[in-house]
């Protein structure tokens, strides 16, 4: 092997081994770490081996003042070289050793040093493997944690979806309940707004069809109709047991409802039969389902509506009975007008067309012992049976006071005293006119009553609008005064109650003006027949046919004899 300073010629494997051994010692003395040294020597050896396979190599080694070692390997006579630069922690030995300086002993030592470097590299690899294993375990645990976190997040997302679904379901249920309660309140108000039995029955189809039922049928206990075959069984069962019945192919399992088999004539049409009546079953409301089944929540609402409809029907029936009794009592106490000399009489009584406003109005006419005739009109506050009873008491007392020879004012004073002490919570209005045969002067007195209207023989009309006395029964002592009006033969006096002239849309004064005009327009021939005249007066006054109060009209027409 021919050696030159800093340039080594590598012609054999032995030269390559010595060159490797020199660089191993040189880098070790310069403090190059074993791992860096092993990497460099491995790459250097591989380059030499390649060059030896192609005929040899030259190795140029150079160090600089910066502590760097520069190595270049190239094939002689060919361009290009493999270059590597090492930065050593300590200064590189100078002058540079050469491979030729290595004898067998030093070469053996170099080989042993190479094993030490290999041991260092292996130790580093072992530490690296341990570190890799540690990080692998850490990564595995991290992956397990990530998977667990992912599972928790997935479970939380699922729970959140379930909560959202539950919230939507609860909101839907609440909205449906609000809708049903609103309908129930409105329907109840509509049913209770009427005290007419037939009117309540007419409103039920409008309320329920088509949203809650495709069709409905109402059977009443006193109904003479024959039940449809497809509804008879369920309807009769509901009427007999007093429990709601559901007839369908499949059990409805509706709350508070018994299940029955479907009708053979209508197997696909579920029926819901609800008893009507507060205390006893008055009838059955049968509904045909709007689709293939009845909703349980809607069924609860329908059952409550049926209960309320039954109460409304009960109230209407009681009201009609009360009204009929009050009207019968009222009419039974109204006087059959007497046939007396010097005055013709005609009267009309009409019950209210709306509400229980019956029982407080009355008229009366009777002769006194001295031959005079008293015409009376009155109105007791309140309505119904109690008002009719009080009216009867006042009528009887008035006749008793009149028989004693008292005049209109004195009779009213005595009635006022009686009512104030015996019925302190009731009041009444009253007007009394006394006709004396052959005397055109008519004496009258009033207690809070609407003014009488007169018509003279020439057709002139006037209102006796002198201030009346207070109402009968007002809690204060009072003495009534008498007034006199001249009514020559052929004159007409109209006494009436406020139900004839008072309307909600207009005041009582407007009604009195209408009555005066109506009386003025009557012809003389009409007044000859006083009953026909009474009918002619009522027509323009009650043309709307609806009035909230009962009506009394008493016409008195004077004659010469």
């Amino acid at each position: 092997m021919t050696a030159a300073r800093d340039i080594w010629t590598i012609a054999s494997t032995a030269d390559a081994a010595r060159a490797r051994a020199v660089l191993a010692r040189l880098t070790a003395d310069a403090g190059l770490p074993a791992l860096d040294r092993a990497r460099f020597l491995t790459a250097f050896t591989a380059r030499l081996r390649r060059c030896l396979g192609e005929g040899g190599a030259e190795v140029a080694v150079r160090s600089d003042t910066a502590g760097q070692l520069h190595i270049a390997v190239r094939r002689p006579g060919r361009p290009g070289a493999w270059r590597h630069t090492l930065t050593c922690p300590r200064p590189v030995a100078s002058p540079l050793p050469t491979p030729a300086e290595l004898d067998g002993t030093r070469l053996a030592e170099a080989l042993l040093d190479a094993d030490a470097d290999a041991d260092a590299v292996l130790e580093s690899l072992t530490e690296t493997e341990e570190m890799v294993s540690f990080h692998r375990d850490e990564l595995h645990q991290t992956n397990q944690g990530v998977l667990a976190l992912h599972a928790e997040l997935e479970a939380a997302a699922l729970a959140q979806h379930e909560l959202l679904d539950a919230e939507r379901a609860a909101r839907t249920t609440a909205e449906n309940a609000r809708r049903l309660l609103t309908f129930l309140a409105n329907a109840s108000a509509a049913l209770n707004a009427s005290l007419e039995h037939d009117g309540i029955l007419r409103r039920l189809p409008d309320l329920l069809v088509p949203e809650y039922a495709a069709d409905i049928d109402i059977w009443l206990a006193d109904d003479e109709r024959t039940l449809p075959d497809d509804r008879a069984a369920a309807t009769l069962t509901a009427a007999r047991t007093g429990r709601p019945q559901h007839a369908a192919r499949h059990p409805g399992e509706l709350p508070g409802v018994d299940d029955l088999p479907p009708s053979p004539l209508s197997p696909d049409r579920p029926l819901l039969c609800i008893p009507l009546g507060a205390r006893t079953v008055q009838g059955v409301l049968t509904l045909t389902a709007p689709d293939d089944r009845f909703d349980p929540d809607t069924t609860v609402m329908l059952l409550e509506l049926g209960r309320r409809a039954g109460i409304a029907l009960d109230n209407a029936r009681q009201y009609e009975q009360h009204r009929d009794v009050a009207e019968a009592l009222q009419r039974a106490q109204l006087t059959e007008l007497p046939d007396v000399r010097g005055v013709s009489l005609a009267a009309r009584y009409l019950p209210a067309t709306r509400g229980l406003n019956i029982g407080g109005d009355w008229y009366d006419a009777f002769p006194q012992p001295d031959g005079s005739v008293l015409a009376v009109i009155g109105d007791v506050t309140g309505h119904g049976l109690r008002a009719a009873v009080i009216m009867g008491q006042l009528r009887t007392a008035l006749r008793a006071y009149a028989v004693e020879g008292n005049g209109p004012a004195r009779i009213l004073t005595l009635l006022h005293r009686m009512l104030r002490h015996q019925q302190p919570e009731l009041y009444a209005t009253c007007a009394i006119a006394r006709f004396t045969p052959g005397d055109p002067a008519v004496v009258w007195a009033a207690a809070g009553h609407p003014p009488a209207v007169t018509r003279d023989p020439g057709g002139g009309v006037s209102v006796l609008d002198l201030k009346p006395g207070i109402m009968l029964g007002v809690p204060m002592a009072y003495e009534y005064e008498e007034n006199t009006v001249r009514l020559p033969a052929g004159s007409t006096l109209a006494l009436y109650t406020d139900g004839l002239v008072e309307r909600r849309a207009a005041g009582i004064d407007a009604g009195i003006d209408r009555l005066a005009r109506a009386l003025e327009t009557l012809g003389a021939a009409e007044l000859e027949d006083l009953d026909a005249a009474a009918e002619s007066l009522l027509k323009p006054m009650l043309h709307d046919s609806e009035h909230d109060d009962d009506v009394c009209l008493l016409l008195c027409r004077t004659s010469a004899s």
Side-chain angles (χ1 to χ4, degrees), residues 165-233:
D165 292 341
E167 182 183 359
R168 292 190 192 97
R171 188 182 297 113
T172 300
T173 301
E175 178 62 25
N176 186 54
R178 185 198 65 79
R179 179 180 61 84
L180 293 176
L181 288 175
T182 300
F183 170 78
L184 180 61
N186 294 336
S188 299
L191 294 177
N192 292 324
S194 174
L195 285 174
E196 184 184 354
H197 196 268
D198 292 339
I200 295 172
L201 297 178
R202 285 194 300 269
R203 292 182 183 185
L204 283 171
D206 296 336
L207 292 171
L208 296 173
V209 179
E211 184 172 1
Y212 298 104
D215 183 36
I216 74 168
D217 182 77
I218 303 172
W219 174 81
L220 300 176
D222 55 359
D223 198 340
E224 297 180 355
R225 294 179 306 151
T226 301
L227 288 172
D229 292 338
D230 61 334
R231 301 188 179 193

Side-chain angles (χ1 to χ4, degrees), residues 260-284:
L260 292 176
S263 166
L265 300 179
S266 182
D268 299 325
R269 302 290 291 175
L271 302 178
L272 181 63
C273 302
I274 304 173
L276 300 176
R279 289 171 290 274
T280 60
V281 177
Q282 297 185 29
V284 177

Side-chain angles (χ1 to χ4, degrees), residues 341-345 373-375 432-445 451-464 483-495 519 527 530 554-561:
R341 185 173 63 86
V343 61
S344 300
L345 301 169
V373 177
L374 288 186
I432 304 175
R434 183 175 63 193
F435 296 85
T436 302
D439 187 354
V442 176
V443 179
W444 65 276
V453 180
T454 66
R455 170 177 165 147
D456 60 32
V461 174
S462 62
V463 178
L464 303 183
N483 302 281
T484 302
V485 60
R486 290 184 59 82
L487 294 179
S491 300
T492 303
L493 175 70
L495 299 173
L519 184 59
L527 289 171
L530 212 54
L554 177 59
L555 294 182
C556 310
R557 181 173 173 80
T558 60
S559 59
S561 58

Side-chain angles (χ1 to χ4, degrees), residues 55-110:
E58 289 182 349
V59 178
V61 181
R62 179 176 61 85
S63 62
D64 57 23
T65 56
Q68 290 185 329
L69 185 64
H70 304 278
I71 300 96
V73 179
R74 61 177 176 274
R75 287 182 294 172
R78 293 189 180 182
W82 175 84
R83 301 179 185 277
H84 198 89
T85 299
L86 299 173
T87 301
C88 302
R90 294 194 294 269
V92 179
S94 180
L96 295 174
T98 62
E101 296 175 358
L102 291 180
D103 55 14
T105 300
R106 291 182 178 179
L107 183 59
E109 291 176 354

Side-chain angles (χ1 to χ4, degrees), residues 6 277 541:
D6 299 330
M541 298 303 297

